[in-house]
Amino acid sequence: MSDQAQASVVQTRREGDVLVVSINNPPVNALGQAVRAGLLAAMEQAEADAAVRAVLIVGEGKAFIAGADIREFGKPAMPPSLPEVLNRMEASDKIVVAAIHGPALGGGLEVAMSAHYRLALPAAKLGLPEVNLGLLPGAGGTQRAPRLMGVAAAADLMLTGKHLSAKAALAAGLVDKLVDGKDATDATAAGLAYTNELLAAKTAPRRTRDIEIADKAAALAALDTLAADTAKKSRGLFSPLKIVECVRAAVELPFDQGIAKERALFVECLNSPQRAGLIHAFFAERETAKIPEAKAAAPRHFAKIAVIGGGTMGAGITVSALDAGLTVTMIERDAESIARGQANVEKVYNGLIAKGRMTEEAKAATMARYTPSTSYDDIRDVDLVIEAVFEDLEVKKAVFKELDRVCKAGAVLATNTSYLDIDAIAAATLRPQDVIGLHFFSPANIMKLLEIVVPAKVAPDVVTTAFELAKRMKKVPVRAGVCDGFIGNRILAVYKQAADYIMEDGASPYEIDEAVRGFGYPMGPFQVTDLAGGDIGWATRKRRAATRDPKARYVEVADRVCERGWFGQKTGRGFYLYPQGARVGQPDPEVLAIVDAERARKGVTPRQFTPDEIMRRYMAAMVNEGAKVVEEGIALRPLDVDVTFLSGYGFPRFRGGPMKWADMQGLDKVLADIREFAKEDALFWKPALLLEKLVAEGRDFESLNKAA
Ligand code: 3HC
Ligand code: NAI
């Protein structure tokens, strides 16, 4: 990095006795090499200048400092290192003050903790979220936070990755003072006033490293419990236990040895595949909003919306919309249904009240923006409609005809269909340019994923409006094309089929679920079926029966289970038994007997599958269909497939998503597996052309993400 770049990202100026060091590295003042070098140079400048008696550190723009530059991870180290810069800062004989007005996260908070005094403005957010990236605070954070805020609170901050408000940070001892103000200019003014006060009082530097941790024996005992707890809770994650180890070092070792330990464990985390997976996930989630329509069209205005249908999805979508500050009119078929729809919405808020997370007044204020109705005439002036009625093309077409009749020109008309042809739904109106898919996931007020399904005739500003809605609702949007099941459910259908084949060939549903959990999913596919209700998939299979390729292998086990009325948790049994409404199922010998009977009927001699063999097939099916979805343009990029599975299907985040997983395995290995499985069933295991092409060219999915 040139001196010029360094100078422009870290600027210094004298204000009386104080050297003001301001970091100006948009968008979030990440601590890239130039910033680190600039900070080091600023400290050298301060030390060399006898007229400087104090240093004030501030961030320009919205953030104080959002942390290390995540883009540098995985690349060769570029000196100076952040720990080196911060040790130098802390060691300074001139007092160093940090004034925090926005995010001070990760390395950003580590900068602040290495300063001698800290003040915060109301919008400050302080945290050590490295754990979310598979890391631990690696610039002294694990050693300084326990000294400043106590062992338990520091461990909690690092293990949860949560952000503290300015007030909470003051209470926790992370900052010394709260002041009013809102931006970088206010922070500089307040910081200068505070620094001058400290100088006037002849205050000496106060180094965090010198703080003694109180009651070490009790702290160590608490850490034993925390380690056991963390091992249980962190489900295969690597960095949480390393964080606990670092905190233990903070208690047991002198500061410099603690720092050395932290460095060693930080490097282990940095080199772990989980770091690569989690950082891929971080960037991928921010990339999905970058769509071709974004440049072409600004979103349409929306404030009032309508939701058609008050069932499971309609109610969840209504809650999401109300929580986003929108006004919602819900339409149902009749008085009884609308009463049920309203009750479904209120149930969510009553649950929050029962848990002490909402007040009656807040519920009343929210429900004041909700209007129940059975008449389409009440939605003449809404800006956007989301239809969530039964999954039946004819019913949906009838609803859209009605919407076409009553809605004002320019209203966005969206459907929450899971599988149906949105081009056909759009064609039921005279305004297909306004029709789009908004595929929410259940429960819609909780699940983050929103597939935005773009039919052929939709106008670009309808697409950007959908992305704007996602943002307002704090959802993770993914742009998808029209096909049966869009991105997520289409791929799900294929790997679910692979799971069925593995089951019929020899593994029990329980072994498959266990292997999938062992990979990092919270649940296996048969548990998911039981949770969602087996009848839903059964209906889909019946719908598809007529168009199913007669040569394709079809496993009847799930149908046999459904024929007995065993739809999963809601009926007390499915693939598992749920005695007395239990939420965790028990294996059912009768289901195993059904599987055996089906094998016998088909003449299948069962064979053994190790968890690894199960996962190789399960993942190969997922990746192969993912590649087809990208090849056909249903997903814009492989990363869109990754985000769909991370946010909507419980795919383990530390693996980055199925396509990232495939890259990390090596696409040639995945393709070789598919070709081997194809020897048993060439129709199902037909390699995606895109996968073959990438392997032939020695490329990976990431190369497509970059090219897009
Ligand atoms: N490094 C590089 N780029 C970053 C970054 C970082 N630490 N944090 C954010 N960005 C980028 C984003 O990728 C995005 O880029 P884009 O515009 O090209 O897509 C841009 O900054 C804006 O980010 P957001 O869209 O997330 O903006 P928000 O305003 O919604 O959120 C934020 C701001 C709360 C700061 C959020 O970006 C965030 O949580 N960032 C990550 C914070 C973090 O994890 N810090 C720890 C880093 S690891 C570390 O510090 C190690 C140390 O201990 C040694
Ligand atoms: P549901 O059966 O719980 O609710 C449907 C509601 O629509 C019922 O309350 C019904 O009275 C109402 N309705 C039916 N016809 C209507 C009409 N003409 N006008 C007004 N209201 C009408 O169904 P659910 O699960 O909420 O599904 C709704 C849609 O969401 C379906 O298209 C489904 O595929 C989709 N979806 C469902 C998911 C799930 O997990 N349940 C996930 C994602 C999408």
Side-chain angles (χ1 to χ4, degrees), residues 651-666:
F651 192 93
R653 191 173 169 89
F654 67 81
R655 295 189 189 275
M659 310 311 260
K660 177 68 180 176
W661 175 88
D663 273 356
M664 292 207 276
Q665 300 300 300

Side-chain angles (χ1 to χ4, degrees), residues 31-46:
L31 294 157
Q33 192 276 340
V35 175
R36 299 195 300 274
L39 274 175
L40 189 62
M43 289 314 301
E44 281 165 357
Q45 182 188 344

Side-chain angles (χ1 to χ4, degrees), residues 51-69:
V52 171
R53 292 173 59 214
V55 175
L56 171 66
I57 300 179
V58 291
E60 294 298 329
K62 278 200 288 196
F64 173 68
I65 300 170
D69 186 340

Side-chain angles (χ1 to χ4, degrees), residues 292-308:
E293 292 84 358
K295 285 196 197 90
R300 293 184 189 173
H301 165 80
F302 60 91
K304 284 191 221 161
I305 78 162
V307 174
I308 317 296

Side-chain angles (χ1 to χ4, degrees), residues 311-313 332-333 388-391 396 416 418 439-440 442:
T312 312
M313 294 308 290
E332 262 286 358
R333 293 178 290 176
V389 304
F390 300 137
E391 184 76 344
K396 290 200 191 281
N416 180 48
S418 307
H439 184 213
F440 289 82
S442 178

Side-chain angles (χ1 to χ4, degrees), residues 308-314 331-333 337 340 376 387-392 395-396 399 415-420 439-442 489 536:
I308 317 296
T312 312
M313 294 308 290
I331 302 281
E332 262 286 358
R333 293 178 290 176
S337 308
R340 204 171 44 235
Y376 281 87
E387 165 278 312
V389 304
F390 300 137
E391 184 76 344
D392 178 312
V395 175
K396 290 200 191 281
V399 168
T415 171
N416 180 48
T417 179
S418 307
Y419 293 95
L420 300 176
H439 184 213
F440 289 82
F441 287 69
S442 178
N489 283 347
I536 296 178

